[in-house]
Amino acid sequence: MLSRIEVFQGDITTLHVDVLVNAANPSLMGGGGVDGAIHRAAGPALLEACKVVRQQQGECAPGQAVITLAGDLPAKAVIHTVGPVWQGGEQHEARILEDSYRNSLNLAAANGYKTLAFPAISTGAYGFPRVAAAQIAVNTVSDYLTRKPLPERVYFVCYDEEDTRLYQRLLTQRGQET
Ligand code: ADP
């Protein structure tokens, strides 16, 4: 059986997938890191769409996800999820990170999208330890895909080679490598 998970090294904004996941902050008003890169590549329509969501629903709580258009990106939509800020591991950070992955997958599936790309949520400014975060990402996505038909394919987008090797190793351990 062909694996439904792939690792891609590079800039998430270049991917021609149905949905990109953004590691947003609760305000949904943009920020640094992957959030900044996605807003720059998408153009002002993305910020406008985020403002509408913000007006309708208020801030996005950690672990939750919302969906918008994708502006000038090659993707069709952007899912904004807020990961946990690492505070030492005793503040439910692992469960919140799982929620971010699972709620993003649910939202993509509910909208009928087939391909989705995740960045390494919370591992930049939010300080979640990289190996633990990658284990949660791989386990949560793998478990989800064994139970659900959509999305058909998920890409883990790694910004550097170290993360790429880490994800490949974890996927091999689960027997899911491409
Ligand atoms: P958070 O606030 O959730 O920690 P960051 O954007 O600071 O989010 O970092 C999340 C991850 O995204 C980091 O591993 C960082 O290296 C990576 N990253 C930054 N820019 C990009 C990009 N353009 N494409 C893919 N990943 C990126």
Side-chain angles (χ1 to χ4, degrees), residues 23-176:
N25 59 53
S27 78
L28 300 173
M29 292 298 108
V34 72
D35 196 5
I38 287 174
H39 274 274
R40 271 193 302 281
L46 184 60
L47 187 59
E48 288 310 310
C50 287
K51 281 182 183 162
V52 172
V53 173
R54 174 77 193 268
Q55 272 156 14
Q56 287 168 345
Q57 312 185 10
E59 292 209 325
C60 187
Q64 298 304 301
V66 299
I67 191 164
T68 66
L69 50 69
D72 297 335
L73 288 164
K76 295 173 187 162
V78 176
I79 287 174
H80 309 260
T81 188
V82 179
V85 176
W86 181 257
Q87 297 173 77
E90 303 294 324
Q91 302 297 320
H92 309 291
E93 293 96 327
R95 182 179 52 71
I96 295 168
L97 190 59
E98 274 177 39
D99 287 348
S100 280
Y101 280 97
R102 204 176 303 107
N103 285 325
S104 297
L105 291 161
N106 273 331
L107 202 47
N111 284 275
Y113 289 126
K114 293 182 176 164
T115 54
L116 172 149
F118 280 112
I121 299 165
S122 282
T123 64
Y126 279 9
F128 205 113
R130 282 184 176 274
V131 176
Q135 274 164 343
I136 289 168
V138 165
N139 290 336
T140 306
V141 172
S142 299
D143 289 345
Y144 188 94
L145 295 184
T146 58
R147 290 181 288 107
K148 308 272 185 172
L150 281 180
E152 290 174 355
R153 187 164 286 261
V154 171
Y155 296 84
F156 286 120
V157 181
C158 299
Y159 211 39
D160 60 34
E161 206 173 318
E162 198 184 330
D163 249 11
T164 305
R165 275 201 292 268
L166 169 62
Y167 271 86
Q168 277 167 344
R169 180 168 58 77
L170 293 173
L171 287 166
T172 304
Q173 281 168 7
R174 282 204 57 135
Q176 298 255 9

